[in-house]
């Protein structure tokens, strides 16, 4: 077992739902082997209320997530990222900053909880469904034997994960 802690940045345009859930999940599921961050190209400045409520109900620290711009992580004094994952198609199609250290990248699209329609209970249920999808992907990621894979094999596995768990309406 290695003592190395892998750092991961999750990107989504508004950094209010999917990327925030991924950050929180990785920090819990990674059990100290991973440190997750999230950011957006055009952060909304607030966390989606259904995401906030779900995270709070599941015991995630309420003060932990915040909506922030991705430029924070491209600065010279930013944490070095080992991985950068886009979790919405909009962010995947944008011109991202150049990340110091050339982290490994992949696109893992998920449906947008902010696009949920219906009454509050339906929106909350949709958010919980997306949360479950992200959780399964994070669990698969943290179980990868990262240290024993060469860069090309690891890249292939990360890309395959994005395809294998893709949802038809991912990343509206």
């Amino acid at each position: 077992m290695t003592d190395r802690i892998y750092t991961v940045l999750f990107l989504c345009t508004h950094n209010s739902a999917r990327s925030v859930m991924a950050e929180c999940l990785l920090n819990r599921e990674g059990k100290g082997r991973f440190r997750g961050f999230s950011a957006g190209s055009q952060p909304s400045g607030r966390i989606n209320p259904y995401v906030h409520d779900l995270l709070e109900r599941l015991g995630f620290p309420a003060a932990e997530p915040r909506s922030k711009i991705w430029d924070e992580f491209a600065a010279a004094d930013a944490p070095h990222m080992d991985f950068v994952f886009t979790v919405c198609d909009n962010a995947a199609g944008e011109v991202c900053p150049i990340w110091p250290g050339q982290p490994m990248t992949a696109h893992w699209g998920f449906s947008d909880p902010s696009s949920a329609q219906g009454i509050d209970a339906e929106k909350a249920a949709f958010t919980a469904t997306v949360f479950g999808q992200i959780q399964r992907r994070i669990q698969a990621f943290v179980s990868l034997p990262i240290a024993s894979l060469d860069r090309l094999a690891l890249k292939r596995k990360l890309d395959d994960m994005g395809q294998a768990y893709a949802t038809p309406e991912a990343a509206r």
Side-chain angles (χ1 to χ4, degrees):
M1 186 70 130
T2 179
D3 291 336
R4 177 152 166 43
I5 297 173
Y6 295 100
T7 53
V8 181
L9 178 60
F10 296 97
L11 301 175
C12 195
T13 304
H14 299 293
N15 188 220
S16 65
R18 294 165 282 189
S19 53
V20 170
M21 290 189 287
E23 172 187 4
C24 291
L25 278 162
L26 182 66
N27 286 331
R28 180 176 284 178
E29 301 283 338
K31 299 181 173 140
R33 284 187 50 228
F34 295 87
R35 176 71 178 117
F37 301 92
S38 68
S41 59
Q42 301 168 36
S44 67
R46 66 177 186 83
I47 304 303
N48 175 296
Y50 298 98
V51 170
H52 182 273
D53 291 347
L54 178 63
L55 293 173
E56 192 172 84
R57 269 195 331 275
L58 295 174
F60 288 90
E64 185 174 294
R66 69 180 175 85
S67 180
K68 55 209 159 292
I69 192 155
W70 64 19
D71 293 343
E72 285 185 31
F73 298 96
D77 62 344
H80 166 82
M81 293 297 153
D82 296 299
F83 301 94
V84 175
F85 300 129
T86 53
V87 292
C88 76
D89 286 345
N90 289 340
E94 293 182 86
V95 176
C96 295
I98 296 176
W99 309 111
Q102 297 179 321
M104 188 154 302
T105 62
H107 176 60
W108 292 352
F110 296 99
S111 299
D112 185 0
S114 300
S115 71
Q117 302 294 311
I119 61 173
D120 285 347
E122 292 169 319
K123 292 176 183 179
F126 185 74
T127 299
T129 297
V130 174
F131 180 89
Q133 293 167 347
I134 295 170
Q135 185 173 35
R136 285 187 293 282
R137 184 124 6 126
I138 295 294
Q139 289 169 338
F141 173 63
V142 301
S143 68
L144 287 173
I146 294 172
S148 66
L149 294 172
D150 66 51
R151 192 164 174 85
L152 184 59
L154 180 56
K155 173 67 172 147
R156 191 173 313 119
K157 286 193 177 290
L158 297 175
D159 288 342
D160 288 349
M161 288 171 74
Q163 293 300 313
Y165 299 100
T167 57
E169 66 282 346
R172 285 184 219 161

